[in-house]
């Protein structure tokens, strides 16, 4: 595997501070020792760090980050130019961003640091939402595409919790855990379709929560179940997980059912469903699918 900072046939004398890897801090260069001792110490530390980052991981990070930014930006522009209705734009982003992100995980290597490298993608989105939500950075397209009332402060609630969940799933679950896949399935596809179908075709409302409909809940259950099973089948096909279909799919159905019930509870003013739904799904998945 070709690595950054490692050039075949390089015949540069290695200074003592380069460590066991013996890799220069920059690709194909033989740096001169800085006159400042502290600068040389930083250079000697940077060499192994850059050398440990494989070309595969660098390419995977670039693809994931640029793809994530471009995907959201497309809907920013569509909403800003009134090509796509704002609520629909927001929900398409909600439904698709999480599953598309975890489908980039197999692009990364098997190195121990790979999951934390992938985590930089939702972390960058977290920073972007925080800066726009607090008014430090102005981005009307982003506000219009993913907020309900075109209020920038909304970005500091549901959307921020959404990327926080993706960060937690990446760090704690990664690609060998069905729990992470189930969390993404119910939070993104399940909750997203519940809103789309409930608003457009919802007629029968729950007696304990008049803002939720039976049709929306049914859509969440179906979308969460199918997305969860779909992600598991994909990752099993790649060899990251293994499972017996019958008991596992039964567990998925049960998790989707309970998560749907939680989403329909009249507690949204107290706990955002981008927190309550993935939390319940994650706890149940760790119990039923592990």
């Amino acid at each position: 595997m070709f690595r950054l900072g490692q050039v075949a046939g390089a015949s540069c004398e290695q200074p003592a501070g380069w460590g066991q890897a013996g890799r220069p801090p920059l690709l194909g260069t033989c740096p001169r020792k800085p006159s400042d001792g502290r600068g040389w110490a930083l250079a000697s530390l940077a060499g192994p760090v850059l050398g440990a980052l494989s070309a595969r991981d660098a390419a995977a990070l670039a693809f994931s980050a640029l793809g994530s930014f471009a995907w959201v930006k497309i809907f920013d522009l569509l909403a800003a130019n009134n090509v796509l209705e704002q609520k629909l734009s927001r929900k398409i982003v909600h439904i698709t961003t999480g599953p598309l992100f975890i489908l980039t995980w197999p692009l990364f290597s098997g190195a121990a640091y790979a999951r934390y490298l992938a985590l930089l993608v939702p972390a960058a989105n977290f920073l972007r939402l925080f800066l726009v939500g607090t008014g430090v950075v102005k981005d009307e397209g982003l506000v219009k595409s993913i907020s309900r009332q075109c209020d920038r402060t909304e970005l500091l609630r549901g959307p921020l919790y959404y990327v926080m969940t993706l960060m937690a799933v990446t760090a704690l679950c990664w690609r060998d855990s069905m729990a992470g896949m189930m969390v993404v399935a119910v939070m993104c596809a399940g909750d997203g379709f519940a809103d789309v179908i409930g608003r457009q075709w919802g007629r029968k409302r729950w007696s304990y929560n008049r803002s939720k409909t039976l049709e929306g809940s049914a859509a969440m259950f179906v979308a969460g179940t199918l997305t969860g099973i779909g992600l598991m089948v994909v990752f099993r096909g790649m060899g990251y997980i293994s499972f017996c279909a019958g008991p596992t799919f039964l567990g998925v159905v049960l998790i989707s059912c309970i998560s749907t019930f939680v989403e329909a509870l009249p507690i949204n003013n107290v706990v955002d469903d981008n927190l309550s739904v993935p939390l319940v799904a994650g706890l149940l998945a760790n119990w039923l699918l592990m």
Side-chain angles (χ1 to χ4, degrees), residues 81-98:
N81 290 282
N82 297 315
V83 176
L84 196 64
E85 196 265 333
Q86 186 264 343
K87 290 180 180 178
L88 181 59
S89 170
R90 179 172 59 84
K91 280 304 168 182
I92 292 176
V93 171
H94 182 104
I95 291 167
T96 58
T97 300

Side-chain angles (χ1 to χ4, degrees), residues 11 29 45 59 84 146 158 164 179 252 259 262 270 276:
S11 59
T29 62
L45 289 173
L84 196 64
I146 62 176
M164 286 170 61
V252 170
S259 298
V262 170
V270 180
S276 60

Side-chain angles (χ1 to χ4, degrees), residues 70-131:
W71 186 250
V72 175
K73 195 64 178 177
I74 287 171
F75 292 98
D76 289 355
L77 294 173
L78 291 175
N81 290 282
N82 297 315
V83 176
L84 196 64
E85 196 265 333
Q86 186 264 343
K87 290 180 180 178
L88 181 59
S89 170
R90 179 172 59 84
K91 280 304 168 182
I92 292 176
V93 171
H94 182 104
I95 291 167
T96 58
T97 300
L100 288 176
F101 169 61
I102 69 170
L103 287 174
T104 67
W105 288 354
L107 300 177
F108 292 86
S109 73
Y113 66 79
R115 71 173 67 194
Y116 303 108
L117 202 61
L119 188 147
L120 293 176
V121 176
N125 284 320
F126 176 93
L127 181 61
R128 183 187 180 200
L129 289 170
F130 180 80
L131 292 176

